[in-house]
Each structure stands twice: as structure tokens, then as C-alpha cells.
Amino acid sequence: MIRTAIFGLIFLLIAITSSAQINGGLGQNFGERISFGGNFGLGFGSITYVNLSPRIGYKFTEEFTGGLGYIYQYISYDKSVYGFPFQSTTYGGSVFGRYRFLETFFATAEFQS
């Protein structure tokens, strides 16, 4: 699992380096090529749910964006829901890539660990 995450980071660094050398002509400075996003969710009651999943991406070319993300999820419920109490915390990271084929059509792939 750690080996795969390291492979993803190495791939991303190689892509950043290659993009900087090959595609200097995007007409944007570094800050304009960075994007932020992710997910945020809360739920309270007999089931408590918290989701924090921020992402940061970098526009390597006009068509390709890649980046990293962090994942944190917490869920718990009391005995009245399923007859027994439960609590779980999940955290990890992700590496993603998105390729835009047309103005409104893109494909994305993501690895979460």
C-alpha cells in the first residue's frame, strides 16, 4: 500500500518535471495552474458522519490535470441503529489524473490508499 502511494508520488513528480520542460507555452504562471477542490460532508443524529477530502491539482497541459488528495472519514452510531454501537475512523491519500477530450467531456482516474 505504501509502495503504491510512493509510486504515485514519483509519477506525479516526473509528470510535473516533464510538463515544465515540454509545455512552457500555456500562457499561465504557476499559481494560475493550481486548482483546489474536494469534498466536505457532515451528518448528525443517531448516525454521525464526517467527511473531509481536500484536493490540490496542477494543470500540466491544456488537457491534462493531475494532483493529490487527503481523505478523512469518521462514522459512528449508537446501539439503537443496528443493535450494537460502532465507531470507525478512516484516513489516507489519493493520486488523480484527469484528461479533457472535449470542452465538456473528460476522463478521470484516481487511486486511493
Side-chain angles (χ1 to χ4, degrees):
M1 184 160 53
I2 292 174
R3 185 182 338 169
T4 307
I6 291 171
F7 173 74
L9 291 173
I10 291 171
F11 171 77
L12 189 62
L13 291 174
I14 290 170
I16 289 171
T17 305
S18 299
S19 173
Q21 293 173 358
I22 295 171
N23 195 15
L26 268 178
Q28 298 173 324
N29 65 33
F30 180 80
E32 293 171 330
R33 296 167 105 176
I34 300 289
S35 63
F36 298 94
N39 295 306
F40 174 74
L42 293 174
F44 298 104
S46 56
I47 298 176
T48 301
Y49 177 75
V50 178
N51 177 12
L52 300 170
S53 304
R55 284 180 142 184
I56 183 168
Y58 183 77
K59 188 176 185 180
F60 295 105
T61 68
E62 287 296 328
E63 295 82 21
F64 180 72
T65 301
L68 302 171
Y70 176 76
I71 302 160
Y72 172 81
Q73 293 178 335
Y74 171 82
I75 187 169
S76 72
Y77 49 82
D78 57 29
K79 189 175 179 179
S80 67
V81 178
Y82 294 110
F84 59 91
F86 178 79
Q87 180 177 350
S88 173
T89 302
T90 304
Y91 58 91
S94 67
V95 176
F96 72 92
R98 179 179 303 136
Y99 187 82
R100 186 176 51 144
F101 294 99
L102 301 170
E103 188 66 30
T104 58
F105 181 73
F106 65 88
T108 190
E110 181 174 10
F111 173 77
Q112 296 181 350
S113 174

